Amino acid sequence: AQSVTQPDIHITVSEGASLELRCNYSYGATPYLFWYVQSPGQGLQLLLKYFSGDTLVQGIKGFEAEFKRSQSSFNLRKPSVHWSDAAEYFCAVGAGGTSYGKLTFGQGTILTVHP
Amino acid sequence: DSGVTQTPKHLITATGQRVTLRCSPRSGDLSVYWYQQSLDQGLQFLIQYYNGEERAKGNILERFSAQQFPDLHSELNLSSLELGDSALYFCASSDSGRLNNEQFFGPGTRLTVL
């Protein structure tokens, strides 16, 4: 069965600083990987996804993530954090190939941004 | 606004009761997913429907059931409610139901069982 680990429950950064959120996955086949963001009181919004090809993927809001098969990781990065990035971030792995869309989520990382 | 609507926003009920959560997918989307978000279990996949048929099942309790109607809206029924069922329930939709199609999430229904 697939699983996702986000080792950091809570991260605090200063506005303008760089950010890296860690994600490790376990899945027997080639994974479908996703990062979602959840703002307080909101649903989840997709930041970016990886299915195949270039291992560095660009997403919305200036985020990027790098797939590293050897490390089973899909870390999310942003070069300069804005106060509006404060939210909870979820990494997810998709199972079932292309036939259905079940997602398994990590426990989430809460990002706090200091001015 | 994702285009996915969920009603009600909040629901407070008692143990042993039954509730129905409703989801309307984005226009044109054929697949609906239900997820449960709780403090102890995190965000878990419950069930997926595609064009009225069950497509995939996750950690959904036998006390819970769902269906997708011909107009593509979906309902999640929770019965014999327990305190541990208190959670945020999300509905998501996508056009084809496959992994390479983005799932758009609704704002959620917060269920409190007293």
Side-chain angles (χ1 to χ4, degrees):
Chain A
Q2 65 279 0
S3 66
V4 177
T5 302
Q6 292 180 247
D8 304 306
I9 296 174
H10 196 168
I11 282 184
T12 301
V13 299
S14 298
E15 191 169 16
S18 63
L19 172 71
E20 183 170 31
L21 303 182
R22 296 183 291 165
C23 171
N24 292 100
Y25 69 90
S26 173
Y27 186 58
T30 300
Y32 286 64
L33 295 163
F34 307 80
W35 274 100
Y36 282 84
V37 60
Q38 183 180 24
S39 299
Q42 304 291 316
L44 282 77
Q45 181 184 22
L46 180 66
L47 287 176
L48 47 77
K49 59 189 178 185
Y50 171 79
F51 296 147
S52 63
D54 193 347
T55 56
L56 185 63
V57 294
Q58 302 296 321
I60 62 171
K61 304 184 181 187
F63 285 93
E64 66 178 27
E66 186 171 12
F67 170 61
K68 292 185 177 180
R69 184 186 298 274
S70 61
Q71 298 176 20
S72 297
S73 69
F74 189 57
N75 294 347
L76 182 71
R77 300 194 294 247
K78 187 169 186 177
S80 178
V81 170
H82 188 261
W83 64 266
S84 61
D85 293 323
E88 189 162 15
Y89 292 79
F90 292 91
C91 181
V93 62
T98 58
S99 60
Y100 58 88
K102 172 184 174 181
L103 295 179
T104 298
F105 286 87
Q107 287 295 99
T109 299
I110 298 172
L111 174 65
T112 299
V113 181
H114 280 169
Chain B
D1 184 356
S2 67
V4 178
T5 59
Q6 291 186 248
T7 56
K9 274 192 170 180
H10 301 276
L11 201 47
I12 301 174
T13 188
T15 55
Q17 296 298 305
R18 174 189 170 93
V19 297
T20 297
L21 312 183
R22 182 188 169 101
C23 168
S24 293
R26 291 189 321 153
S27 177
D29 283 356
L30 298 178
S31 195
V32 168
Y33 312 76
W34 286 98
Y35 292 87
Q36 178 195 58
Q37 185 178 34
S38 62
L39 284 176
D40 53 347
Q41 297 291 326
L43 193 57
Q44 290 198 93
F45 168 78
L46 294 178
I47 197 163
Q48 178 194 1
Y49 279 84
Y50 176 77
N51 204 20
E53 294 191 1
E54 183 183 305
R55 176 67 67 90
K57 221 169 186 176
N59 299 323
I60 187 166
L61 299 172
E62 284 192 14
R63 300 184 286 108
F64 295 1
S65 65
Q67 55 184 324
Q68 186 179 25
F69 294 88
D71 67 352
L72 300 176
H73 91 273
S74 178
E75 292 181 355
L76 179 67
N77 300 294
L78 315 176
S79 61
S80 303
L81 284 168
E82 301 175 0
L83 295 178
D85 298 328
S86 296
L88 192 52
Y89 291 84
F90 285 110
C91 169
S93 74
S94 70
D95 56 1
S96 72
R98 294 193 294 266
L99 275 175
N100 54 347
N101 295 123
E102 179 177 349
Q103 294 183 26
F104 293 85
F105 282 74
T109 292
R110 182 167 295 281
L111 172 66
T112 302
V113 182
L114 301 175

